[in-house]
Structures are given as C-alpha cells and as structure tokens.
Amino acid sequence: MTAPRIEINLDKVFHNASTLVGRLNSHGIAVTGVTKACMGNPSYAETLLAAGVGTLGDSRIENIEEMRRAGIAAPIALIRAPMLSQAGLVVANADISLNTELDVISALSDAAQKAGRRHAILLMVELGDLREGIMPDDLEETVRRTLTFSHIDLRGIGASLGCFNGVIPDGINMGELSRLADDLDQKFCASSNLVTRTVSGGNSSNLKWALSGNSIGRINELRLGESILMGVDPLYREPIEGLYTDAVTLFAEVIESKIKPSQPWGEMAHPTFEKTTKTRHHGTTNQMVLAVGHQDIDPAGLSALNGSEILGASSDHLIVATNGCRAQVGTELSFALNYSALLRAMTSRFVRKDFQARQSLGPKSSETVPRAE
Ligand SMILES: *Cc1c(COP(=O)(O)O)cnc(C)c1O
C-alpha cells in the first residue's frame, strides 16, 4: 500500500447519508449531496445517490465533468456561482447552478440557447453571512430581469450561512428566506406563473435548526457535504448523533524514529511554519518523522489515532511524539482529519485516495449502527 493515503469507507458514508436523508425527508426537506470534498469521485457520488440523495452538488465544474465522464446521469448542481468565462461548460455539464449576477445568468441563457437546451438556476440571497447572495431588497428586481431570459428556468431561491462568518441559521434568517419565497410567489404568479419550487436553506450548518422541531417554513432543500462525510455539525464541531465520525482516515509512513532531546538548541529565529504545540518539557522525547506535510494536509486538523502528540510539520514532514512505544521505520500511523485537513489531502496529488467499496448494499442493520452520543 502506498502512503500517504486517505481511506474513505463508503459503507459509513452510505449510512451517514441515508440517515440524514431519512431524518430530513420526514420534515419535507430534500438533500443535495455535495461531492466537492471528494473532488467529484464517481464511487462517492454513486454512494450518495444509492442513499437517497436526489441531486448531486459540486462547487467545481471540473469535478462535475468527472462525474459526467463516469456516466453519472443524475441531476447535478453547480453550487458555486459560475464564472462568466465558464458559462458554456456549466450549461453542458450541470442541470442547475446557484447564481447572484445577471450578467452571468444572461451568459448562461445564451450558452443554453446555443446548445439547444435549458438551464435551471436558484437565486442566492444574502442573509448575513456575507459570502454570496443578492441583497433581499434587490431580489424582486433580479427575479423580474431573470424571467426575461429565454433559456433559463428559475427554480427558486437559496442561501448560505455558517461559511464565511459563522452566522447561525435560525428562525429569523430562515423565516426571512421563507417570506421572500412567499412574496415572490405572490408578485409573479399572475404575470409569469412563477412558483418558487425550491427553497434551499443552506448547508450542514442548518441541520441543528432543521431537525430541532422548529417550524421550517418554506425550506425544502439542504445541500450537505461535511455532515455526510465527517458525521460532524460544522457550526459546533460536534458529532451528529447516530452518524459515523470515522468514515475517513489518513495513513502516513514513519521515515525516522529516534529518541531526541525535547528542546531544540542553537540560536533561533522564525521557523518556516508556525508550530502547533507549545514548548515542551526538558529531557527526551520519543520522536517520529512521517512522510506527509503542509503540502498534503493541514497539521492543525489532524489527530493521531494511537494517542501520539503531533508536534508540528514542515512542507514534507510531520513530527509526532509518543509516550508509548516508538513506531518502527516503515510502519504506518493513522490519523483522523477535520474538514480543512481533508480538503487539502484530497487535492494533494501526493496523497492516494482509496474509496473502499460498499460491502453491504441495503441499509445497515441496527446492531451495526454506531453508539448514540
Ligand atoms: C460547500 C457548500 C455546501 C456544503 O457545505 P457543508 O458544510 O459541507 O455541508 C453547500 N452549499 C454551498 C454553496 C457550498 O459551497
């Protein structure tokens, strides 16, 4: 086996996805399964579809092209606003995209016309997190203009919270999104038969709000990535009850294993990368060097699964200390990753990605469900 290596257990992914789909469907909410952290890997996408996800979502057109090349025919949404320069690619590969700019929507309509097809869009609304979104006061005018484009189908509206400023989805901002959907239906149903079919409330950070028994209003879709893959609520960094948090594991190989002084010596200036731990005690440390570094992972987002302590990393080396036995040169250590470490590992060409095929095809039997929190 080559290292470094990420193993993604698709049985656990299937369990997480089907559990979340079941919980949300019972509230009338459909799930778009987001594939961006796995770079549109077709086995990952197929697992989400088997688990009951109706639409796939990815932020990069390259990942969507990859899924299409693999023969995936399910509806796919481009969930980052399209680049103006990619309108043709977007229309050719995605069924729907999330938009905020009329110039882009106009280009999508032209590209769709040229390709002899139609393209669906959601208009994203700014609700306070200050990433993408049309200001609520400008929404009506944007809809009016959108309805003039001949090859665009306006499917509905959406929002993103929790991403840039960590704004929490709650009754107030989600209530505003519902009200905006009601307003649009009222204003445009007579003139254009527009009905706001999809109201896409947000991402994994909406789960707590959606499942806590609040009135969910018009929200009928969420776009879920991290919660399915990591089993974690990103707002509070907490495990989600009943989901696996260990579907993803990083393996790296020990290339040096020695007893060394705990303190560095010589005159010191700034290291290339800031260290993740404070200064250590005097004496000696059982220290191992592993062949993985900043180029492949975010060391602050790793935790060693054998209880070792991660001291820090350089571009190509991870430095780990252990109180127990030193691992031999040539052996592998395993690590859990947070989302940031995972994203970097997935995009590093030095890290092998091993999507482990599902063993069981049906839903999991009750005795294999992980412990409740
Ligand atoms: C990444 C992304 C998602 C998924 O977010 P998670 O927190 O991973 O669930 C949803 N919507 C948009 C627009 C995104 O960029």
Side-chain angles (χ1 to χ4, degrees), residues 34 36 79 98 131-132 160 203-204 223-226 234 339:
V34 173
K36 67 187 179 199
I79 59 173
L98 278 43
R131 200 181 65 182
E132 80 277 29
S160 284
N203 48 52
S204 295
R223 310 174 304 271
L224 301 183
E226 182 171 357
Y339 200 55

Side-chain angles (χ1 to χ4, degrees), residues 79-122:
I79 59 173
R80 183 173 70 184
M83 291 185 228
L84 193 56
S85 59
Q86 293 187 334
L89 278 178
V90 173
V91 163
N93 291 283
D95 304 275
I96 180 164
S97 57
L98 278 43
N99 285 273
T100 62
E101 292 285 354
L102 284 163
D103 286 345
V104 174
I105 300 167
S106 171
L108 291 170
S109 183
D110 291 347
Q113 181 163 29
K114 252 184 229 136
R117 53 168 80 193
R118 303 186 64 76
H119 184 72
I121 67 165
L122 296 184

Side-chain angles (χ1 to χ4, degrees), residues 139 157 174-189 194-199 217-219:
L139 183 61
I157 58 177
M174 288 295 105
E176 181 173 12
L177 194 62
S178 284
R179 258 193 316 283
L180 288 166
D182 287 343
D183 286 354
L184 292 180
D185 285 355
Q186 231 177 22
K187 287 192 177 115
F188 292 98
C189 73
L194 172 76
V195 187
T196 311
R197 270 166 52 193
T198 302
V199 183
R218 294 281 304 269
I219 310 304

Side-chain angles (χ1 to χ4, degrees), residues 331-352:
T331 57
E332 291 183 349
L333 296 187
S334 57
F335 300 85
L337 306 92
N338 71 8
Y339 200 55
S340 149
L342 176 71
L343 286 180
R344 205 179 303 174
M346 282 292 184
T347 50
S348 167
R349 76 178 171 86
F350 303 104
V351 178
R352 179 192 153 123

Side-chain angles (χ1 to χ4, degrees), residues 210-222:
L211 296 174
S212 57
N214 298 302
S215 154
I216 54 162
R218 294 281 304 269
I219 310 304
N220 61 7
E221 189 202 74
L222 291 180

Side-chain angles (χ1 to χ4, degrees), residues 1 12 19 24 31 54 63 75 95 137 144 152 159 174 176 197 214 258 296 303 313-314 327 345 355:
M1 292 268 223
K12 292 181 177 176
T19 302
L24 288 166
V31 174
N63 294 346
D95 304 275
D137 284 349
R144 199 180 306 286
I152 295 293
M174 288 295 105
E176 181 173 12
R197 270 166 52 193
N214 298 302
K258 297 191 186 304
D296 317 294
S303 33
S314 62
F355 289 84

